[in-house]
Structure formats: structure tokens, C-alpha cells
Amino acid sequence: MKYLKNVNYFRVLTLTFLSLFIVSCNLNKESKPAPKPGSIAEKKAMQQQRKKWEASPDGKMYLAWQTSAEGKKVRTSYDKIKKSLTNFSEMEAVVTSVTFQRKNANSNGPKWLLVQIMNENYMLQFVPKEFEQLSSLHVNDKITIKSHNAGFSPNHPYLILSSDYIAKSDTVLFKRIKNKNNKC
């Protein structure tokens, strides 16, 4: 009888250690950053892929826009707020348009909020449901924006900011809720 108790105790103890080992291995895998392309072959493959894209009609159009006056202006506006984007710090903005729509755009498509930060114009894009939260905004309203990212596009006249946080007079009007699955 005593022998059976010792065997059961040994089994439980073994299973406990085994499960702890498995859990710790999974945690270590999840906490490691994604590997960067380190090998020379991977870097060359990425360079070839980029060159292929640059040779495509879209790539040529983007490169031409980058060196144009419009592209340089957008790049300059990015440089002005780059530090705020990196630090996810507050930026004071003034609303310049709540009804902006791109030429030939679908009326059911994304909604745009145009703002001015440090004398430069920026665009914030929303899906219609998100844009409803900003219905109280008017032209010349002063707001506070926090953003993580910005996007360059030859199809847009200004730099496109991600819309992560918008407040007016210490009242939060919009706050993007990050998806726990893909952290977006």
C-alpha cells in the first residue's frame, strides 16, 4: 500500500514538473522578438523583391512622387512630428475639415478628418462607424492627438496619421482599442 502511494506521489510530481517545463518553454517562445532576416541570402531576396517592385508601374509612380515637390512636402511634414509619433506623445491640432472626400472616392468609403499640427496639414482616416464618435467636431476646434504611425501615399495630398487617440477639452472622443490577437 505504501509502495502505491509513493508511485502515485512520484507520478504527480513528474507531471507537475513536466507541465511547468512545457509552460515555460511556450512563454519563452512567445516573448522572443520576431527574427530579422539575418542571412545574406534572405537580405538579397528582399533586395531583389524591392527592385522588382520599384520596376513595376506602381513602384515607378511612387518613386517619382517621392522626389516631386508634393512628396518632399509630405516628407517634411513627417519629419516635424516624427519624434511625437515615436514617443506616442500628445500633439495639439486644429481641425481644418470634417467633410473632406478624395476625388472619385466612394461615398461609403473611409471618412477623413483633416487637421493642422505645427502649421502642416495631416489626414486621419476612419471607417464610418468610428467617424460617428467624432460627430461633435467642427472646423477650428482644438484637439489633442496621439498616433503611433504615419503613412505616405501618392494618392493623398497630406501625410496620413493613424488615429489612435483624439481628445477635445480633456474629453476623450476616440481611442483605438488594440486587438489582443495581433496587437493592432
Side-chain angles (χ1 to χ4, degrees), residues 23-81:
V23 169
S24 68
C25 287
N26 286 338
L27 288 176
N28 286 341
K29 286 179 186 175
E30 291 174 6
S31 64
K32 290 181 184 176
K36 294 181 181 177
S39 74
I40 295 172
E42 288 175 337
K43 288 180 182 178
K44 283 185 178 181
M46 288 179 69
Q47 286 175 344
Q48 287 175 339
Q49 192 175 19
R50 182 178 176 101
K51 285 181 181 180
K52 185 178 178 181
W53 175 80
E54 288 174 348
S56 73
D58 287 340
K60 288 177 183 177
M61 183 181 78
Y62 182 79
L63 292 174
W65 172 80
Q66 235 180 355
T67 57
S68 70
E70 295 87 13
K72 288 178 182 177
K73 185 174 188 257
V74 170
R75 184 58 160 175
T76 301
S77 67
Y78 171 74
D79 291 338
K80 281 188 174 183
I81 64 167

Side-chain angles (χ1 to χ4, degrees), residues 87-101:
N87 297 334
F88 194 61
S89 58
E90 293 183 350
M91 296 180 278
E92 299 300 319
V94 176
V95 176
T96 58
S97 175
V98 292
T99 58
F100 177 81
Q101 200 160 8

Side-chain angles (χ1 to χ4, degrees), residues 110-161:
K111 304 296 180 188
W112 297 94
L113 180 67
L114 297 184
V115 297
Q116 192 173 64
I117 303 170
M118 294 188 281
N119 297 321
E120 292 286 344
N121 292 316
Y122 298 90
M123 303 174 79
L124 295 116
Q125 180 182 0
F126 300 90
V127 295
K129 189 174 182 178
E130 292 175 340
F131 197 73
E132 290 172 6
Q133 298 174 40
L134 305 172
S135 62
S136 65
L137 287 179
H138 302 287
V139 173
N140 293 325
D141 281 351
K142 293 182 180 179
I143 60 174
T144 303
I145 298 172
K146 284 184 178 181
S147 179
H148 280 295
N149 302 316
F152 300 91
S153 172
N155 300 327
H156 298 80
Y158 309 112
L159 186 69
I160 305 164
L161 299 179

